[in-house]
Amino acid sequence: MNTYGEKTGRLIEEFGRLPGIGGKSAQRLAFYIISQKPERAEALANAILEARRGVTYCSVCQTMAESDPCAVCGNVNRDPSAIMVVEDPRDMAAYERTNEYNGLYHVLHGAISPMNGIGPNDLRLRELLDRLRGGMVNEVILATNPNVEGEATALYIAKILKPLEIKTTRIAHGVPVGGDLEFVDQVTLARALEGRREI
Amino acid sequence: MNTYGEKTGRLIEEFGRLPGIGGKSAQRLAFYIISQKPERAEALANAILEARRGVTYCSVCQTMAESDPCAVCGNVNRDPSAIMVVEDPRDMAAYERTNEYNGLYHVLHGAISPMNGIGPNDLRLRELLDRLRGGMVNEVILATNPNVEGEATALYIAKILKPLEIKTTRIAHGVPVGGDLEFVDQVTLARALEGRREI
């Protein structure tokens, strides 16, 4: 990186550490920052610092939030009898945008993935079990991702919840709305057939 | 963005303003920053601020540099009789990495692109002409990108340099080394044939 100066090199290096940003993208971003007005660089730097300092974990659902409890857990109009288990705060945000769910959430911060060395103890499962012990919860909806890791995590959670005798459900698999059957993979097509319902 | 808190939303917005970073990537980056140790966020923020404050333009070749003149222009071992004209500091860095060129550079900061409203006056051409007036330069090597804008810019510069009677050359077009002829586009193949040399 010493083709560029020390400061530019360091910025490229820092950008390159972000997920999904390769060497070329890091260079492009660094030169963009340098070519912008100083206010723009300061706005980005401040946003980074403030978000890092101001955002913490909700002690109830474990999502990233700026208040504890988070806006969802602190909302008395939400139904505390249902908990949707998701892998990531972004998944929670995705379900919030649907405006179709009024229960609470629980964010695992990951999924079981032996390939990446992530086991059940690396997820926020103890916190989930603590919440369920209160006896207020009638249903746990497993909304982990529809991939190998997400399915394994859902099965694992279903297994450990069995003794608690709480209704445990999994979100439906099927063809996405607005999709074209022709382009849907075989496994999804098979799952959609398997999950067919009378209309 | 109010699905997330205000600070997270602002960070996502700031990331989303960077070139090549879409909404999803901005979310991913923001959550990555928040989930990291505070030192990592501070390192990135500081690198942004320091690079923006510490990097300026070289008054000779117009590249972005941390000193004026830049390391290349200030190097007495470089051959001042050749100037390679490039669009961008990254192109200059790419040629520097080859270790095959010992002359100086001139960075235009763009290329003529009527579609994007960029005309000759938006490039650092006046600075190039000022440098050529010194009479020290024997050759101007046009190394703008091998695309429509770069070719137009090279032709334009060749035209305005004509009255100065300085040798003006263009880097060769041809098949890339290590490439596979089968996958090279027709225009490049035609140019490679046209530019063939005896061996």
Side-chain angles (χ1 to χ4, degrees):
Chain A
M1 287 297 170
N2 55 5
T3 322
Y4 306 111
E6 184 214 330
K7 286 167 184 164
T8 314
R10 200 154 70 81
L11 182 56
I12 293 172
E13 200 188 307
E14 287 292 339
F15 271 129
R17 286 184 182 175
L18 298 176
I21 306 283
K24 291 274 170 192
S25 300
Q27 274 187 34
R28 186 167 40 81
L29 292 175
F31 278 101
Y32 175 81
I33 291 287
I34 294 164
S35 68
Q36 293 297 296
K37 292 206 186 94
E39 300 89 81
R40 299 270 358 102
E42 278 157 28
L44 175 59
N46 288 337
I48 289 168
L49 293 175
E50 288 194 11
R52 184 61 195 83
R53 282 176 197 147
V55 178
T56 176
Y57 294 101
C58 170
S59 60
V60 183
C61 73
Q62 312 295 323
T63 193
M64 282 163 178
E66 291 172 23
S67 59
D68 185 11
C70 72
V72 173
C73 291
N75 184 343
V76 291
N77 295 321
R78 307 285 301 216
D79 174 10
S81 73
I83 291 183
M84 180 186 282
V85 178
V86 293
E87 292 182 21
D88 194 281
R90 281 169 287 177
D91 301 334
M92 170 173 166
Y95 256 104
E96 278 299 279
R97 280 192 291 268
T98 66
N99 284 320
E100 293 283 339
Y101 178 68
N102 196 40
L104 301 178
Y105 293 90
H106 192 84
V107 180
L108 298 174
H109 291 281
I112 297 172
S113 172
M115 293 275 282
N116 298 311
I118 301 171
N121 293 333
D122 299 311
L123 308 178
R124 309 277 174 115
L125 284 172
R126 213 179 23 232
E127 292 85 351
L128 175 64
L129 292 174
D130 286 345
R131 289 177 75 184
L132 297 179
R133 250 169 234 136
M136 294 252 293
V137 180
N138 298 326
E139 183 175 357
V140 173
I141 303 159
L142 299 172
T144 50
N145 283 329
N147 54 25
V148 178
E149 288 84 7
E151 294 295 344
T153 309
L155 285 175
Y156 180 85
I157 297 174
K159 209 179 88 186
I160 59 171
L161 296 191
K162 199 110 198 174
L164 302 177
E165 291 183 349
I166 296 169
K167 183 176 163 194
T168 307
T169 57
R170 176 87 174 106
I171 52 165
H173 290 85
V175 289
V177 179
D180 202 328
L181 272 198
E182 189 185 349
F183 302 117
V184 177
D185 66 286
Q186 296 169 10
V187 181
T188 303
L189 286 176
R191 291 291 207 103
L193 181 64
E194 196 182 301
R196 69 189 179 278
R197 292 198 292 184
E198 231 172 289
I199 54 168
Chain B
M1 287 297 172
N2 55 6
T3 322
Y4 307 111
E6 184 213 330
K7 285 167 184 165
T8 314
R10 200 153 72 79
L11 182 56
I12 294 172
E13 200 188 307
E14 286 293 338
F15 271 129
R17 286 186 183 171
L18 298 176
I21 307 284
K24 291 273 170 193
S25 300
Q27 275 188 32
R28 186 166 41 80
L29 292 175
F31 278 101
Y32 175 80
I33 292 287
I34 294 165
S35 69
Q36 292 298 295
K37 292 205 186 96
E39 300 89 80
R40 300 271 357 105
E42 277 157 29
L44 175 60
N46 287 338
I48 290 169
L49 293 174
E50 286 194 13
R52 183 62 196 86
R53 282 177 198 146
V55 178
T56 177
Y57 293 102
C58 169
S59 60
V60 184
C61 74
Q62 312 295 322
T63 194
M64 283 163 177
E66 292 171 24
S67 59
D68 186 12
C70 71
V72 173
C73 291
N75 183 344
V76 292
N77 294 321
R78 307 284 302 213
D79 172 12
S81 73
I83 291 184
M84 179 186 282
V85 177
V86 293
E87 292 181 20
D88 194 282
R90 280 168 289 178
D91 301 336
M92 171 173 164
Y95 256 104
E96 278 298 281
R97 281 193 290 268
T98 67
N99 285 320
E100 291 283 340
Y101 178 68
N102 195 39
L104 301 178
Y105 293 90
H106 191 84
V107 180
L108 298 174
H109 291 281
I112 297 172
S113 172
M115 293 274 282
N116 298 312
I118 301 172
N121 293 333
D122 299 309
L123 307 178
R124 310 277 174 111
L125 283 172
R126 212 178 24 232
E127 291 85 349
L128 176 64
L129 292 173
D130 285 346
R131 289 177 75 183
L132 297 179
R133 247 168 238 135
M136 293 255 291
V137 180
N138 298 325
E139 183 175 358
V140 173
I141 303 159
L142 300 172
T144 49
N145 283 329
N147 54 24
V148 178
E149 288 83 8
E151 294 295 345
T153 308
L155 286 175
Y156 180 86
I157 297 174
K159 211 180 86 184
I160 60 171
L161 296 191
K162 199 107 197 175
L164 302 178
E165 293 184 347
I166 296 168
K167 183 177 165 191
T168 307
T169 56
R170 176 85 174 109
I171 52 166
H173 290 85
V175 289
V177 179
D180 201 329
L181 273 197
E182 190 185 347
F183 302 116
V184 177
D185 66 287
Q186 296 169 11
V187 181
T188 303
L189 286 176
R191 292 288 209 103
L193 181 65
E194 197 183 300
R196 69 190 180 279
R197 293 198 292 183
E198 231 171 290
I199 54 168

